[in-house]
Amino acid sequence: FQLQASGGGLVQAGGSLRLACAASRFTLDSYAIGWFRQAPGKEREGVSCISGSGGVTYYADSVNGRFNLSRDNAKNTVYLQMNNLKPEDTAVYYCAADSRSGYTGSYFCLGGMDYWGKGTQVTVSS
C-alpha cells in the first residue's frame, strides 16, 4: 500500500489550498479514507474521515464548514479542499486509509487508521 499526499504550501490567512492523496498498489474506493494533521508540540488530530461505504463525512469542529473531503475513484485519489485557512491550521497533513468496514468516519478520525502516507506541510501566515 502506498499513499502520497501533495498540495501543501504557504498561504495567507483566508486563502485556500487543495490537498491530494494518490493511492497506488490498491484501489481506494472501498476503503475508509481520512485526513489528519499534526502541529508542532500538539497531538495528531483527525481532520476529516469517511467510511468505505460512504455515509456521513466526519469533520473536526475546528474545520467544519471550511474543509471538504472528496474522492475521485477514477483517479484513485482523495482530496481535501481547505478554504478560509487560519494560522491555527498550520500543520503537517497526512492522508490515511483503512480496510475495516462497519465503522463511521468519526470512529476513524478519533481512533486512527491502518495505512498512512507521508505528510505534506501546510503553513498559514497571518
Side-chain angles (χ1 to χ4, degrees):
F1 295 96
Q2 188 169 5
L3 296 167
Q4 181 64 52
S6 62
L10 173 65
V11 64
Q12 289 188 332
S16 298
L17 283 174
R18 188 177 77 156
L19 305 183
C21 177
S24 58
R25 300 177 186 157
F26 73 106
T27 53
L28 276 174
D29 58 357
S30 62
Y31 280 70
I33 54 174
W35 287 94
F36 296 76
R37 67 186 181 186
Q38 188 163 22
K42 293 188 177 181
E43 293 187 355
R44 185 187 68 199
E45 177 186 23
V47 175
S48 181
C49 300
I50 190 169
S51 69
S53 59
V56 177
T57 303
Y58 170 86
Y59 294 96
D61 289 342
S62 56
V63 307
N64 196 22
R66 300 187 296 121
F67 289 13
N68 184 66
L69 182 152
S70 63
R71 66 167 104 202
D72 186 334
N73 291 335
K75 295 183 178 180
N76 209 28
T77 299
V78 174
Y79 301 96
L80 184 69
Q81 177 67 42
M82 306 186 295
N83 299 323
N84 191 21
L85 282 160
K86 303 176 180 181
E88 51 264 42
D89 295 319
T90 295
V92 177
Y93 283 71
Y94 301 88
C95 61
D98 199 294
S99 61
R100 289 174 289 173
S101 60
Y103 298 95
T104 62
S106 61
Y107 172 86
F108 290 112
C109 259
L110 298 176
M113 291 182 158
D114 284 345
Y115 308 109
W116 294 84
K118 293 182 180 179
T120 184
Q121 176 71 46
V122 171
T123 303
V124 185
S125 63
S126 58

